[in-house]
Amino acid sequence: MDFTTYKPLLWLVVLLGLGAGMWFSLVDRPTKLKWWSFALRALGIILLALALCRPYTKTESDSVHVVFLVDVSESVDLEAATESLTLIDQSIKELKAGDSWSLFAVADGVRPYESVEELRVLLTKWQNGIADDDYRSQSRLADAVLNSRLAFPSGKSRRIVLLSDGQETGNQTADALATVSEEKVDVQFLAIAGLQKAEASVVSIVPSGTVAYQGEMIRLQTTVASNQKMNARLRILHKGVAVRENKVVLEARSDNRFEMDVEMSTSGPSVWTAELIPENDHFPINNQLATTITVKGKPRILILHREPTEMRPFSRVLKEQEFEVDVRGEHGLPESIEQMLAFDTIVLADVPATDLTTRQMDLLRRYVSDFGGGLAMLGSDNSFGLGGYYKTPVEEVLPLISRFEKEKEKPSLSMVLVIDKSGSMQGQPIELARQAAKATVELLGVRDKIAVIGFDSQAQVVCDMRSAGERDSVMSAIDSLEAGGGTDVFPGMQVGREMLDTAGTKVKHMIILSDGQTADADHLGLTQTMADSGVTVSTVALGDGAARELMASIAEVGKGRYYETNDPSSVPQIFTKETMQASKSAIKEDLFGSVQIGDHPILAGYEEADLPFSLGYVMTEAKPTAQVLLSAETGDPLLAVSRFGLGVGMAWTSDLTEKWGGEWLAWEECGQFWAQAFRGIVRKSDTSGVGTRINHRSDNSWQIDIQRKDPNLAPVSGIEWDASIHNESGKMIPLEIEETGLGKYRANVPATMAGDLTIRLHDRVNDKLKVVQYTAGYPDEYRLSSDIPDAIAALTPYQPSLIREDLTVNGSHKAAFHWFVFAGMASIFGGMLLRRI
């Protein structure tokens, strides 16, 4: 008999008190009887203390339970995996009557099977048809080994048989095997053949240097593995375009190496991809790998304009000033922070907020605040408030805001918002509709009027036509807008038309928002009637279920604008853009001179008399933190800058096309002036004294070693780093950095951060910013390798006929504490009884 613990024996000190009581007892009983009573009670206490030690009896058994783990991942040849099941059948026949077994398939997790034949049928089906590629994309051998312990019954010897090619995901199998070994679980291994079909993969692409200058030639060494001799083409891609291509012959080995020289054509983080095109191939996923090279050269500017050709003259003068300029259309803004960091400044020349996603605008803000990028906006019909940027992340960065004091001579506006409040608008859509309506109210002047109508199967007046100056009461009414009911826009349009007919303003406008199909009615006839009376109508179709064709026709007949979006978060930008467009008061067009009202290096060497005239601009208002450098004679801002985080925002409320900026483009110093302006806001990340090295660890995480030195190359300790990781989807998580030595620091990037990563390291005290790019490769499962890890190769070879041999004898434990409790209570009761005799 054994005991689980002996700590409860400390309670035996109670016997000292019991003995003292016995010695000094005044009970008039025979001495022999008193001592027997004491002995029985002491024995009872001892037995109860032993019961608390959780005693048990152990019985040995020669029965065994075997867990068979069959690797069915992509790297395994399915025919070989199927053949291995025959060996499992042989092992099962060798088991005795009291033995048992479990069978699991292993890939991205474990799947149990009741019989060998069930798994054999599945593998045969996969060979003859379409396999479960998602499940087979990983080999989680470590998880399988650890999870298989749950299948072992008590009282039997335990053995795991692993049938695999040894190509694991995560490199944690050695730790898992050590864990089960400590638990006396025996593990055997049988190597299954890897993929036999013709296959080739790119193993690595290594540049001769990770930092280069523009125009420098860099040698890229690509290592390719192949399981058969074959012909192939090897290409080097940059920005999706093949810049080099060679015909190569692959030998059946893992270290075919090829070198190609490429010119570093663009500055900034530059991604180069090696692409293999074999004549015979099974997995296309492992035919590409990329590397990132930081290229130093000319400042890079990205300009976005709805009509890129209109920016050609300005682009030309910047190129003459040693800038690299990329002009794109309205949908050309990068979708990731990594792609944005290829540019030093981004210019929104003529792009409305409705053409950008909320995520893109958030990334722009992060690009400036966290990474020190420059953001500039030029005036146009689609800029500032006119472009719907009111209260957006982009406006946070800019030095100017979209609100302004409407001039008295401008025509007053009456606006009716007709908003769908049917049941399908529940949740975020109705909340954003309320937010959009409030933003509209904020942009209207005191002489303007506003009304809000909600509709489901009938119209509901949320806010009567009233002055936009009654802002608080209008906002409060908008908060009462709730979703529920059917969808019929016609009654809402009728009520809105009646309000506009009696509004008494020169400009009348209606905005209709709906996300569903509406009941049949003469919508176009009513819209034509409103258009004939001077009312313009714009429409917003939200989601795929909206009546898009009808909404577009209403906007066309109503001489307004039609918007369609699947993203409810874009509705506020659409409403603010519409409000500014309808008010016809945000643009001034005339001949305006530039008045210098601020001192800044951007203006160094120029007097206001030297500067050309502007033919128009967008009216804005400066933020308290903005530095207005130039204004029109009216006092409205023309050129302003402000710092935002690590970067700078700049606003030029006129434009730089022939529309308003013809005089500027004709000015002989146009290039020098704007080159000086943009150089004042371009990203200037100072990385001197900050060195980094990235190491890939066995658990698929990444370790970044950082070395910090001062200008004299002496190590710098005690740095408080501000660090973060940014992935492709825009997710950002803080990154902890620990000091490991004199001037040495370390950060660990978890394996859960998958995909291409951008790692930001900022020494805030010394204003040193280092950006590290990591380009993700394909999953380890698709690496063409025949090397079996040492921990797996060292396992005992599996032999079906010896499945019961050399087992560690195991037994079952049976609790015995209740017998001690019964005996202890009986002893105590007997001792008490003797005292009473």
Side-chain angles (χ1 to χ4, degrees), residues 247-258:
K247 292 182 179 179
V248 297
V249 177
L250 304 179
E251 300 293 338
R253 63 176 194 239
S254 61
D255 59 347
N256 296 277
R257 290 187 174 88
F258 307 98

Side-chain angles (χ1 to χ4, degrees), residues 12 74 79 244 398 400 403 563 595 616 708 720 760:
L12 296 182
E74 293 274 32
E79 186 175 345
R244 291 291 307 274
L398 298 174
L400 306 177
R403 292 188 61 183
Y563 305 87
V595 179
R708 183 71 178 86
E720 294 184 5
R760 170 182 169 274

Side-chain angles (χ1 to χ4, degrees), residues 110-361:
V110 292
R111 292 180 178 177
Y113 291 88
E114 294 297 326
S115 68
V116 177
E117 188 60 27
E118 183 184 2
L119 181 55
R120 181 180 286 111
V121 169
L122 177 65
L123 295 183
T124 304
K125 179 181 176 182
W126 282 356
Q127 292 178 65
N128 299 328
I130 299 176
D132 188 347
D133 290 342
D134 285 341
Y135 175 62
R136 300 185 65 213
S137 64
Q138 300 191 60
S139 299
R140 298 196 173 277
L141 302 183
D143 292 345
V145 169
L146 295 176
N147 292 337
S148 66
R149 297 176 299 172
L150 301 176
F152 289 120
S154 62
K156 294 185 179 183
S157 298
R158 296 174 291 177
R159 170 165 284 168
I160 296 173
V161 177
L162 176 62
L163 302 93
S164 171
D165 64 345
Q167 305 308 307
E168 57 175 327
T169 299
N171 298 319
Q172 297 175 318
T173 305
D175 294 337
L177 292 173
T179 299
V180 297
S181 176
E182 292 175 359
E183 297 174 357
K184 298 182 179 180
V185 178
D186 181 69
V187 183
Q188 295 185 348
F189 172 68
L190 175 68
I192 300 179
L195 185 68
Q196 299 299 301
K197 296 179 180 179
E199 174 61 17
S201 65
V202 179
V203 176
S204 66
I205 174 172
V206 180
S208 56
T210 57
V211 178
Y213 286 93
Q214 190 169 0
E216 182 180 350
M217 298 297 291
I218 290 292
R219 178 160 295 177
L220 300 175
Q221 183 184 82
T222 305
T223 302
V224 178
S226 177
N227 63 359
Q228 296 181 15
K229 184 174 181 178
M230 67 177 75
N231 296 320
R233 288 182 293 143
L234 182 62
R235 306 196 302 179
I236 300 297
L237 309 180
H238 182 52
K239 297 182 178 179
V241 178
V243 296
R244 291 291 307 274
E245 179 174 324
N246 286 346
K247 292 182 179 179
V248 297
V249 177
L250 304 179
E251 300 293 338
R253 63 176 194 239
S254 61
D255 59 347
N256 296 277
R257 290 187 174 88
F258 307 98
E259 294 180 343
M260 282 187 266
D261 296 331
V262 293
E263 181 182 355
M264 299 295 103
S265 54
T266 56
S267 58
S270 187
V271 179
W272 298 84
T273 303
E275 180 183 55
L276 183 69
I277 307 174
E279 63 179 3
N280 296 305
D281 198 37
H282 187 65
F283 298 127
I285 191 174
N286 58 8
N287 290 345
Q288 283 192 350
L289 273 182
T291 187
T292 301
I293 302 172
T294 302
V295 182
K296 298 179 180 180
K298 301 175 182 178
R300 296 195 71 202
I301 295 181
L302 172 62
I303 300 177
L304 303 175
H305 196 287
R306 281 198 157 189
E307 299 294 337
T309 55
E310 294 188 16
M311 294 303 297
R312 284 179 182 172
F314 183 63
S315 172
R316 187 166 51 250
V317 299
L318 283 182
K319 289 178 179 178
E320 291 172 355
Q321 299 298 316
E322 299 299 315
F323 278 85
E324 188 175 332
V325 183
D326 188 352
V327 181
R328 301 180 183 177
E330 66 268 33
H331 299 297
L333 186 65
E335 296 281 352
S336 70
I337 195 70
E338 179 188 12
Q339 294 170 334
M340 287 185 181
L341 289 173
F343 301 95
D344 300 300
T345 293
I346 296 176
V347 181
L348 303 178
D350 185 6
V351 179
T354 50
D355 282 344
L356 307 180
T357 64
T358 302
R359 178 169 166 268
Q360 283 178 310
M361 289 192 280

Side-chain angles (χ1 to χ4, degrees), residues 488-513:
D488 190 353
V489 68
F490 191 77
M493 293 174 64
Q494 283 183 311
V495 175
R497 174 209 168 187
E498 293 169 2
M499 289 183 172
L500 290 171
D501 282 346
T502 59
T505 56
K506 291 184 179 181
V507 181
K508 302 175 182 179
H509 188 61
M510 178 184 291
I511 303 177
I512 303 172
L513 167 68

Side-chain angles (χ1 to χ4, degrees), residues 19 28 33 45 67 123 182 232 284 301 343 371 468 489 498 648 751 789 816 821:
D28 186 17
L33 194 62
I45 292 173
V67 173
L123 295 183
E182 292 175 359
I301 295 181
F343 301 95
F371 293 91
V489 68
E498 293 169 2
V648 179
V821 172

